[in-house]
Amino acid sequence: MPDCRFCAPISRSGKNSWETYECGLAVDPYDETQIKEAIDYLRNNPDEAKRMGENGKAAVMDKLNWHTEEAKLVAWYDQLTAEN
Protein backbone atom coordinates (compact mmCIF):
# COMPACT_ATOMS: atom_id res chain seq x y z
CA MET A 1 0.00 0.00 0.00
CA PRO A 2 2.80 2.46 -0.80
CA ASP A 3 0.49 5.13 -2.23
CA CYS A 4 -1.01 5.72 1.20
CA ARG A 5 2.31 7.03 2.49
CA PHE A 6 1.83 10.07 0.31
CA CYS A 7 -1.82 10.71 1.22
CA ALA A 8 -2.93 9.93 -2.32
CA PRO A 9 -6.29 8.21 -2.71
CA ILE A 10 -6.05 5.26 -5.01
CA SER A 11 -8.38 3.23 -7.13
CA ARG A 12 -7.91 -0.50 -7.32
CA SER A 13 -9.82 -3.71 -7.70
CA GLY A 14 -11.39 -5.46 -4.76
CA LYS A 15 -12.63 -4.05 -1.51
CA ASN A 16 -11.07 -5.16 1.77
CA SER A 17 -8.93 -2.48 3.41
CA TRP A 18 -9.85 0.26 0.96
CA GLU A 19 -13.47 0.32 2.02
CA THR A 20 -12.78 -0.60 5.64
CA TYR A 21 -10.55 2.43 6.07
CA GLU A 22 -12.31 4.59 3.49
CA CYS A 23 -9.02 5.29 1.75
CA GLY A 24 -9.75 4.65 -1.89
CA LEU A 25 -12.21 3.47 -4.47
CA ALA A 26 -12.69 -0.15 -5.51
CA VAL A 27 -12.95 -0.63 -9.26
CA ASP A 28 -12.82 -3.52 -11.69
CA PRO A 29 -9.33 -3.25 -13.25
CA TYR A 30 -10.74 -4.48 -16.56
CA ASP A 31 -13.60 -1.98 -16.70
CA GLU A 32 -12.35 1.19 -18.35
CA THR A 33 -15.60 2.99 -17.56
CA GLN A 34 -15.29 2.31 -13.83
CA ILE A 35 -11.67 3.41 -13.82
CA LYS A 36 -12.50 6.63 -15.67
CA GLU A 37 -15.44 7.34 -13.35
CA ALA A 38 -13.26 6.78 -10.27
CA ILE A 39 -10.56 9.12 -11.57
CA ASP A 40 -13.17 11.72 -12.53
CA TYR A 41 -14.78 11.42 -9.10
CA LEU A 42 -11.47 12.01 -7.31
CA ARG A 43 -10.60 14.89 -9.62
CA ASN A 44 -14.01 16.53 -9.11
CA ASN A 45 -14.06 15.98 -5.34
CA PRO A 46 -10.67 17.14 -4.07
CA ASP A 47 -11.79 17.35 -0.44
CA GLU A 48 -13.01 13.75 -0.55
CA ALA A 49 -9.80 12.69 -2.31
CA LYS A 50 -7.75 14.39 0.40
CA ARG A 51 -9.83 12.73 3.14
CA MET A 52 -9.32 9.32 1.52
CA GLY A 53 -5.59 9.93 1.25
CA GLU A 54 -5.34 10.96 4.88
CA ASN A 55 -7.36 7.90 5.92
CA GLY A 56 -4.98 5.71 3.92
CA LYS A 57 -1.94 7.22 5.57
CA ALA A 58 -3.49 6.74 9.03
CA ALA A 59 -4.34 3.11 8.20
CA VAL A 60 -0.75 2.40 7.17
CA MET A 61 0.74 4.19 10.16
CA ASP A 62 -1.62 2.57 12.69
CA LYS A 63 -2.61 -0.85 11.37
CA LEU A 64 -1.43 -1.89 7.93
CA ASN A 65 2.28 -2.16 8.55
CA TRP A 66 4.87 -4.78 9.42
CA HIS A 67 5.00 -3.77 13.08
CA THR A 68 1.37 -4.76 13.66
CA GLU A 69 1.57 -7.73 11.30
CA GLU A 70 4.69 -8.95 13.11
CA ALA A 71 2.74 -9.22 16.36
CA LYS A 72 0.02 -11.26 14.65
CA LEU A 73 2.57 -13.53 12.99
CA VAL A 74 4.52 -14.13 16.21
CA ALA A 75 1.28 -14.92 18.07
CA TRP A 76 0.32 -17.37 15.33
CA TYR A 77 3.76 -19.04 15.48
CA ASP A 78 3.49 -19.24 19.27
CA GLN A 79 0.09 -20.90 18.93
CA LEU A 80 1.44 -23.41 16.41
CA THR A 81 4.42 -24.34 18.57
CA ALA A 82 2.30 -24.60 21.73
CA GLU A 83 0.05 -27.16 20.03
CA ASN A 84 3.00 -29.50 19.40
Side-chain angles (χ1 to χ4, degrees):
M1 208 188 280
D3 296 334
C4 292
R5 294 181 300 144
F6 304 107
C7 294
I10 57 178
S11 300
R12 67 163 307 266
S13 62
K15 297 185 180 190
N16 303 326
S17 306
W18 313 108
E19 288 187 349
T20 300
Y21 299 106
E22 298 180 11
C23 61
L25 302 172
V27 298
D28 179 342
Y30 302 105
D31 187 329
E32 292 177 19
T33 302
Q34 278 188 21
I35 295 168
K36 179 188 179 309
E37 289 172 354
I39 292 169
D40 288 344
Y41 176 81
L42 294 172
R43 184 181 304 154
N44 294 326
N45 296 280
D47 291 339
E48 178 69 3
K50 182 178 179 185
R51 184 186 71 77
M52 286 183 189
E54 290 170 349
N55 288 350
K57 182 177 181 181
V60 169
M61 300 302 285
D62 298 337
K63 297 184 179 175
L64 304 174
N65 60 62
W66 276 111
H67 182 70
T68 56
E69 292 303 311
E70 173 190 29
K72 293 178 197 176
L73 185 60
V74 169
W76 183 66
Y77 284 153
D78 288 344
Q79 181 182 5
L80 287 175
T81 57
E83 291 175 1
N84 292 325

